[in-house]
Each structure stands twice: as C-alpha cells, then as structure tokens.
Amino acid sequence: MMQRLIRWLLPQEQHFYTLVERHAQIVNEAARAMAGYRSGASAKDINAKVRDLEHQGDACVKQMIDALASTFVTPIDREDLQRLSKKLDDICDYINLASRDCVLYGVEKPTEAMLMQIDKLVTAAELVSSAVPWLRRHAYAEITDLSNHIAQHRDDGAQVFTEALTRLFHDPAIDAKTILREKEVLEALDKAINRCEQVGEVLVNIAVKNG
C-alpha cells in the first residue's frame, strides 16, 4: 500500500515500459527470423539474423539493469521489471541456441516437427509482443487473456515435441547422429516456447498485484 502511495505521489519513469516493449518486439523479430526456413533461407543466414537480435536483447537487459539502479520510483515493482526482462532475454537466448544448433549440426531443411514448433514459437512470440504493451495502459484483463493464449500454444508445442522425441527414440531406422541433431534443435525450440509461457505468467502476476 505504501509503495502504491509513493508511486501515485511521485513522478514515474515511463521509459521502463519502452524498454520491455522493445525487448518483446526483438523476441518477435527473432522468432520470425527462425520462420525464414519456411521461405528457403539458409541456416547460416537465419543464425546471423537471430544472433544480431539476441545481442540487441542483451543490450535491453543492460539498459534495464542500469535504469533500475538509478531510479527511485518505478511504474511497477522493480523485481517484476527485472524478472520480465530476464524471461524475455531467455526466449532470445533459446531461439539463438536453436538457430546455432541448426548450423552446428547441418540442419538446412528442418523436419516437419521442427517447422511445427517454429510456427508455435512465432505465434507465441507475437502474443508476447502484443501483451507487453498493455502494461503501460494498465489493461490487465487483456494481459490475462493473451497470456492464456500463450499457454495454449505452449501446450500444443509441448505435444509436438513429445511426439517427435518418441518417434526419434523408437524408430530403429533412425541413426544416432540424426537423433542427436534433431533432439538438440527440438529441445531448444521447446525451451523458447516454454519461456514465452513464463513471460505470460510474469505478466499475469503483475496484473494480479496491480489490478
């Protein structure tokens, strides 16, 4: 209650919203870069784009840390801002890992399961980039609704991941190299989608605390 009173009485630093909104947009761009496989882009080109975006995401994290260290009053709890920044960064990290693994293991043509996961990732990332700006408007009902949609795509992606792994480890015709290659990429994509859901959870927590 005291923190809310202080926020009401004192001017707030609104650039925190700009930082997380920009970070969410970077997440969206990184997921779309992975979708370049659908249009025939090479693994190296995709990795170069994603790696650059991941560096931009790292810069957002540093700006957030510096801003938190130099600001007395934040528009929402500083712990929530830091947690949100970290989860957004995790998504970029795992997208970067997936794109790097494709280069490392020579995955020029992703499997259908990989492409399905990428599709789920793109949709989840779009929802993340749509949900974060609602913080600035205190539109907590909209945040909760979008977070529920993110969770659904996470569930769908998890099912694709589970079915793909089951096929890999139960088909005697698939060799060990193929298992290793596909498993690493699938796991990185699954973790990226999972972190999208975690961003949704952080947003819902903020909504509950401030709504």
Side-chain angles (χ1 to χ4, degrees):
M1 182 64 70
M2 181 60 68
Q3 289 177 343
R4 290 184 181 180
L5 179 60
I6 291 173
R7 287 195 181 94
W8 184 75
L9 291 173
L10 297 178
Q12 300 175 18
E13 297 290 344
Q14 297 295 309
H15 66 274
F16 285 103
Y17 291 126
T18 302
L19 276 175
V20 292
E21 287 166 7
R22 174 56 186 149
H23 206 165
Q25 185 57 40
I26 290 170
V27 166
N28 190 21
E29 292 173 15
R32 286 184 174 277
M34 282 298 293
Y37 278 114
R38 287 285 190 187
S39 57
S42 71
K44 288 185 178 180
D45 286 346
I46 289 172
N47 180 234
K49 290 180 182 179
V50 172
R51 186 170 62 247
D52 177 66
L53 289 163
E54 193 268 338
H55 291 331
Q56 293 181 42
D58 288 342
C60 287
V61 173
K62 184 180 184 305
Q63 291 172 37
M64 175 63 74
I65 292 172
D66 291 345
L68 288 172
S70 61
T71 304
F72 178 63
V73 179
T74 56
I76 55 179
D77 287 349
R78 61 185 60 244
E79 293 83 3
D80 290 328
L81 285 166
Q82 187 172 20
R83 189 177 299 113
L84 179 57
S85 177
K86 176 62 169 62
K87 294 301 182 182
L88 289 167
D89 193 51
D90 285 347
I91 302 172
C92 287
D93 286 344
Y94 281 118
I95 295 175
N96 185 47
L97 178 61
S99 68
R100 189 199 69 181
D101 285 347
C102 285
V103 175
L104 181 64
Y105 295 113
V107 180
E108 283 296 335
K109 293 183 179 180
T111 64
E112 187 58 33
M114 292 177 192
L115 290 173
M116 290 173 66
Q117 277 195 300
I118 289 172
D119 290 344
K120 294 298 178 184
L121 173 62
V122 168
T123 303
E126 287 176 348
L127 290 168
V128 165
S129 67
S130 296
V132 170
W134 287 115
L135 282 176
R136 187 192 294 268
R137 306 175 197 178
H138 310 292
Y140 300 126
E142 286 80 357
I143 287 174
T144 301
D145 182 59
L146 287 170
S147 296
N148 289 336
H149 286 297
I150 295 171
Q152 181 58 58
H153 285 284
R154 161 57 184 160
D155 291 343
D156 294 343
Q159 183 175 353
V160 172
F161 175 63
T162 301
E163 291 175 356
L165 280 190
T166 300
R167 180 187 61 83
L168 281 175
F169 284 98
H170 288 80
D171 188 342
I174 301 177
D175 60 47
K177 287 184 179 180
T178 300
I179 291 174
L180 173 63
R181 178 172 62 246
E182 295 189 16
K183 176 177 175 292
E184 291 297 311
V185 176
L186 288 166
E187 282 187 342
L189 290 169
D190 181 67
K191 289 178 180 178
I193 300 170
N194 175 264
R195 293 314 184 274
C196 289
E197 182 184 31
Q198 291 183 9
V199 166
E201 291 171 350
V202 172
L203 291 173
V204 170
N205 183 59
I206 293 173
V208 170
K209 290 169 66 175
N210 295 277

